[in-house]
Amino acid sequence: MAAFFREVLDDFLTPEFLEGVRKKYHFEQDGFMELHTAAKNMLPWMRREAFWDRKKYQMQEPLRPDACRKEANPIYECVVMTLGYGIDQLQESCNDRGGLLKSYMMEALASEILLKSYHAYEQFLRKKTGWHAARYHFPGYEEAFPLELLPDLLRAYAPRITCNSAFCMSPSKSVVFLSELTQEGRHGGSICLGCTNNHCPYRVTDVTSGKRQAQEKQDLPLTYGYSRIFGASSPILRNRN
């Protein structure tokens, strides 16, 4: 297991990153300092606890032939990334004190730091191995990669990352996926290539350039849970109408 991507964490408190998060999640201009404070509270925990890892993965059953695939026998590795338990504890503490806005800010910041980590992983892969990530496979989104794979994929990382009987991971700010590797050219796709969830608010629609066109054209909706918590009168939602 390796410490989390240093270049990603080093960028976490920069005005450019925080302003990007503020605009993307529609926090008001005068909420920038509160967003900065939330990030400043998160960073020490992530430096202590966040990590990522990659291991070779052997498919138990062959995938069905895909005429679009260049690789006749795809090579996979299992990749895990987590920000650690400390971020969950910070959010729980905020919720207990009624600081729901700060808790949501941490949710937004954690989501963005994980999104940046996919690119950091791809850079590491190209530099250290010469391979490229042609496609990501997330358990539960494809028939060949059922959600039931998750406990086996996480077995080597317990107790630092676990999942319960409902396949919910702990820490919650964790991701695990199978990276399909290739040496054919360079990776020109995105984490959304092959995903069947077309309504995901984080979906990247332009997989060749990586631009988040869907996010530029429409506001990011809150999850159902946060929508119920904050309501339409919340400062978070004030600029969404």
Side-chain angles (χ1 to χ4, degrees), residues 14 16 21 31 36 42 48-49 51 53 62 66 73 84 95 97 100-101 103 105 126 150 195 209-210 215 223 228 230:
T14 62
E16 293 79 12
V21 174
H36 180 273
M42 294 169 65
R48 286 196 297 267
E49 298 184 354
F51 73 89
D53 197 23
D66 188 338
N73 297 297
N95 292 336
R97 298 196 306 267
L100 299 181
L101 175 58
S103 178
M105 284 182 170
R126 289 194 294 266
L150 194 56
C195 177
S209 66
Q215 294 173 4
T223 63
R228 296 293 294 173
F230 292 117

Side-chain angles (χ1 to χ4, degrees), residues 36 87 115 148 157 173 232:
H36 180 273
I87 306 303
L115 280 175
E148 287 74 15
Y157 302 100
K173 307 304 182 292

Side-chain angles (χ1 to χ4, degrees), residues 29-46:
Q29 181 69 51
D30 58 8
F32 180 87
M33 289 309 301
E34 190 170 1
L35 189 67
H36 180 273
T37 299
K40 192 174 180 179
N41 291 337
M42 294 169 65
L43 187 57
W45 287 99
M46 292 191 293

Side-chain angles (χ1 to χ4, degrees), residues 4-22 32 34-47 83 87 90 105-117 173:
F4 208 71
F5 305 100
R6 175 180 291 183
E7 65 273 25
V8 175
L9 295 183
D10 287 348
D11 188 54
F12 191 55
L13 294 182
T14 62
E16 293 79 12
F17 174 76
L18 294 175
E19 180 64 10
V21 174
R22 187 194 68 77
F32 180 87
E34 190 170 1
L35 189 67
H36 180 273
T37 299
K40 192 174 180 179
N41 291 337
M42 294 169 65
L43 187 57
W45 287 99
M46 292 191 293
R47 290 203 185 277
L83 301 185
I87 306 303
L90 281 176
M105 284 182 170
M106 291 182 181
E107 189 76 18
L109 288 163
S111 295
E112 289 305 297
I113 209 77
L114 287 172
L115 280 175
K116 286 174 67 69
S117 300
K173 307 304 182 292

Side-chain angles (χ1 to χ4, degrees), residues 159-206:
R160 299 183 69 180
I161 310 179
T162 61
C163 73
N164 60 20
S165 58
F167 305 110
C168 294
M169 285 190 290
S170 182
S172 63
K173 307 304 182 292
S174 304
V175 294
V176 58
F177 58 91
L178 295 175
S179 178
E180 183 177 333
L181 305 181
T182 182
Q183 289 184 316
E184 297 290 334
R186 297 181 66 85
H187 169 43
S190 75
I191 61 172
C192 301
L193 184 62
C195 177
T196 58
N197 185 4
N198 294 321
H199 301 292
C200 174
Y202 302 102
R203 187 173 184 83
V204 177
T205 57
D206 185 346

